[in-house]
Amino acid sequence: MTTNHRIALIPGDGIGAEVLPPAQQVLDVLGRRHGFSLSYTSYDWSCERYLREGAMMPADGIDQLRDKDAILLGAVGYPGVPDHVSLWGLLIPIRRSFRQYVNLRPIRVFEGIDSPVRGARPGDVDLVVVRENTEGEYSEIGGRLNQGTSEELAVQEAVFTRAGVTRIADFAFSLAARRRGKLTSATKSNGIIHTMPFWDELIAERAAGHPGVTWDQEHIDALAAKFVLDPARFDVVVASNLFGDILSDLASAVAGSIGIAPSANLNPERDFPSMFEPVHGSAPDIAGRGIANPLGAIWSAALMLDHLGHHAAAGDITDAIASVLAKSDTRTRDLGGTATTAEFTDKLIELL
């Protein structure tokens, strides 16, 4: 029997609507090859909807997604709509309502891509940033006082819980055990006096349950420098919400283009749907021109297939990505070529 998966599509804004169709094309090819099918439901939740109706998604939006097997998202953000409105009106409610506490961001330097970092060679750089995705520095606790006066102030509280830190630590250590057995924890306990020592203590506590993993910790400022100076040394990096967000974008740039980078917002227990999205954002400067790099969305689709249990199909996608970059001179403009989104997708599917 053919397994069918119900997929929610949220194209969103800008190039989001341009990169999801290539991901769908690739998914459908793999479904026919590996004997599964995907049924798609598309939602127009976006900044355009916000400007038209005053909300990024309807009041029952979370309930509309609840019965889906996974969510594939394009990008969110548009000039004229503040970023905190678009983020807190769509992405963060989905992540938190569905307990997607793992943000997974793999980074590779592929053959055929010139990294701007001299020491980042193809085959050597292959790491994963595991970012805590539902608490930490991105909390809703805080406020502003005396607005518009000379005494105006803003307070933002970071929230770190034992449950939140231990579950992301356990996920990261387990992932490292399945990879090369190395983990690095990002911290800043020399300057942040309460939350970061707490983070360090819990990472060390959970490490005791994973004796096969070698681990260390690095202060975030030094770690950012080492991502540039020696990215090949890293395997799995676990970090808080803010640190993981910044590190993964930096690592994507080290890999040659943020247009390649995928991400997965995972509920590992599978009680709720997980969400998959490219890292690159809505890129309004190139939206509508048909030149966006679809690889971030396509690789995100591979992460989705892996999460849904189709590991061979996911591997076919990453192999095809490696092939199109190593064996073809077809490139989108962010990679130094002239190919359109459609031309690049056609080439990848040809190799697939």
Side-chain angles (χ1 to χ4, degrees):
M1 293 179 62
T2 298
T3 301
N4 180 67
H5 300 288
R6 295 160 297 177
I7 308 301
L9 297 178
I10 307 177
D13 302 299
I15 64 171
E18 301 174 45
V19 297
L20 280 200
Q24 285 179 258
Q25 288 179 258
V26 171
L27 286 169
D28 291 340
V29 168
L30 270 298
R32 290 190 293 271
R33 175 183 297 173
H34 290 273
F36 62 85
S37 64
L38 303 110
S39 56
Y40 304 102
T41 304
S42 189
Y43 300 87
D44 70 342
W45 303 345
S46 61
C47 290
E48 183 178 347
R49 186 189 191 279
Y50 174 82
L51 293 172
R52 187 176 68 246
E53 302 187 31
M56 294 291 294
M57 64 177 173
D60 66 345
I62 296 298
D63 289 334
Q64 291 187 41
L65 299 175
R66 197 175 298 274
D67 67 342
K68 304 300 185 293
D69 295 306
I71 304 160
L72 193 57
L73 184 139
V76 175
Y78 196 76
V81 177
D83 288 339
H84 69 276
V85 170
S86 59
L87 187 67
W88 285 88
L90 185 64
L91 291 185
I92 290 182
I94 292 173
R95 289 170 176 170
R96 296 188 175 181
S97 296
F98 293 146
R99 299 180 188 173
Q100 297 168 352
Y101 60 85
V102 173
N103 188 273
L104 192 69
R105 298 192 177 186
I107 308 294
R108 286 175 60 182
V109 174
F110 288 96
E111 184 181 349
I113 297 294
D114 293 327
S115 168
V117 175
R118 182 174 55 201
R121 292 177 294 274
D124 291 344
V125 178
D126 182 357
L127 64 96
V128 180
V129 176
V130 177
R131 167 191 171 193
E132 199 291 315
N133 207 33
T134 58
E135 56 177 46
E137 302 88 350
Y138 293 2
S139 83
E140 298 175 73
I141 300 174
R144 295 174 67 173
L145 185 65
N146 299 326
Q147 289 179 256
T149 73
S150 59
E151 291 81 26
E152 184 172 5
L153 63 88
V155 175
Q156 180 76 48
E157 300 285 356
V159 176
F160 287 74
T161 67
R162 172 172 283 273
V165 177
T166 55
R167 67 190 181 187
I168 198 67
D170 285 341
F171 182 94
F173 275 109
S174 296
L175 178 62
R178 299 192 301 272
R179 286 173 51 90
R180 301 199 305 274
K182 296 166 54 182
L183 180 140
T184 299
S185 172
T187 186
K188 191 57 181 170
S189 50
N190 61 343
I192 301 176
I193 193 170
H194 297 303
T195 57
M196 283 292 102
F198 180 61
W199 170 279
D200 294 347
E201 292 163 14
L202 293 180
I203 295 293
E205 178 183 296
R206 306 316 292 179
H210 301 272
V213 176
T214 302
W215 74 283
D216 60 6
Q217 65 184 39
E218 294 275 3
H219 291 135
I220 184 64
D221 41 359
L223 183 54
K226 290 175 183 178
F227 260 37
V228 174
L229 294 173
D230 189 15
R233 66 173 284 189
F234 298 104
D235 181 17
V236 173
V237 178
V238 64
S240 67
N241 212 332
L242 176 63
F243 292 172
D245 196 0
I246 295 169
L247 283 174
S248 55
D249 279 15
L250 172 62
S252 299
V254 169
S257 172
I258 199 170
I260 296 175
S263 74
N265 302 276
L266 299 177
N267 172 245
E269 295 77 16
R270 303 172 189 270
D271 296 326
F272 305 98
S274 294
M275 180 168 62
F276 304 83
E277 56 175 318
V279 172
H280 54 56
S282 60
D285 55 323
I286 63 168
R289 298 169 59 189
I291 60 173
N293 187 341
L295 280 185
I298 292 170
W299 195 354
S300 296
L303 297 180
M304 183 182 77
L305 289 183
D306 192 65
H307 179 71
L308 292 173
H310 301 291
H311 309 302
D316 285 352
I317 295 179
T318 52
D319 288 348
I321 290 172
S323 292
V324 76
L325 295 173
K327 301 177 181 179
S328 164
D329 58 2
T330 303
R331 298 281 190 278
T332 48
R333 297 191 184 189
D334 61 307
L335 299 177
T338 60
T340 65
T341 306
E343 290 168 345
F344 190 83
T345 304
D346 288 344
K347 188 63 179 180
L348 185 139
I349 290 176
E350 175 189 322
L351 292 173
L352 187 65

